Amino acid sequence: VCKIRENPARPISTIVILNNLANIAGTYFIAALASSRLDPSVQTWFPFVLTTAIIVLSEILPKTIGQRFCVPISLLSVRPLLLMSLV
């Protein structure tokens, strides 16, 4: 954890890149499934529902949990984060 606190630029970049890749890939996959399976009237509202779900589930909720449980989460995630930032 101290190593990350000394130089946070790489781990933060890694987190941002992985988060964006997951959001983009997940959104594309779900939208492709929805467009082939949903009724056209529902397809109109689907992007709004999906965007709201992404904001709540991948932005607000993880940050709230991270703030509340920062010490155990940091101890659990520090090694994988350092490894991913090297890659």
Side-chain angles (χ1 to χ4, degrees), residues 8-53:
R10 261 185 115 142
I12 288 174
S13 297
T14 303
I15 290 169
V16 169
I17 290 168
L18 291 173
N19 184 42
N20 285 325
L21 285 174
N23 285 340
I24 291 167
T27 301
Y28 178 78
F29 180 71
I30 295 296
L33 283 174
S35 67
S36 66
R37 296 197 169 123
L38 292 178
D39 186 69
S41 63
V42 177
Q43 288 179 7
T44 306
W45 293 101
F46 186 76
F48 300 107
V49 173
L50 183 60
T51 301
T52 303

Side-chain angles (χ1 to χ4, degrees), residues 44-80:
T44 306
W45 293 101
F46 186 76
F48 300 107
V49 173
L50 183 60
T51 301
T52 303
I54 288 170
I55 290 170
V56 170
L57 296 176
S58 71
E59 297 295 334
I60 296 172
L61 188 61
K63 288 174 180 145
T64 303
I65 292 170
Q67 184 179 18
R68 183 167 292 164
F69 302 105
C70 60
V71 173
I73 290 173
S74 63
L75 294 175
L76 198 84
S77 63
V78 68
R79 286 190 178 106

